[in-house]
Amino acid sequence: MFINSDDVVAKLLNVQIALAIIGMVALTVMLFSSVFGVFNPSDEEVKNSTKNYIEIQLGKEYQLKSWEYEYITPNDVEISYIGVSEKSGKRKEVFEKVIPFEEVKEVISKDSTKKRLEASIENN
């Protein structure tokens, strides 16, 4: 009828050990996936997104003439580009600017939302 306190303590200790092992395995999987880039975007996605970001930054006035990028870390992209205004011949130059890749995706997302909203205004 009475519960043996040694059995309860042993069971609790076993549960704690099991939870600790599960936690360590989960942490190890997360670390390996971040180190080896399991969740990182592909090179093609980074290249296309970076070019779209640069064209958005230049706007309609400037035409992109030359650009390059370097994917520094899973979170950062270094960009350099030159845009030229067809009307005035002015140049807009940016060299070795480091930006978070999340910012690139955010700017592209906002631009597509803007275009969609402008299209709905024109249709009305």
Side-chain angles (χ1 to χ4, degrees), residues 14-72:
N14 287 341
V15 168
Q16 288 178 340
I17 290 171
L19 287 175
I21 290 171
I22 291 171
M24 286 188 289
V25 168
L27 183 62
T28 303
V29 168
M30 288 173 40
L31 287 172
F32 275 111
S33 64
S34 66
V35 168
F36 294 112
V38 173
F39 301 112
N40 295 340
S42 67
D43 289 337
E44 192 66 27
E45 180 184 355
V46 173
K47 179 180 179 181
N48 292 335
S49 297
T50 303
K51 184 175 182 187
N52 289 342
Y53 171 84
I54 292 170
E55 288 173 341
I56 292 167
Q57 296 301 313
L58 287 173
K60 293 179 182 178
E61 183 181 335
Y62 290 90
Q63 298 297 316
L64 181 61
K65 294 298 182 182
S66 180
W67 70 285
E68 61 182 35
Y69 77 99
E70 184 177 350
Y71 196 34
I72 299 174

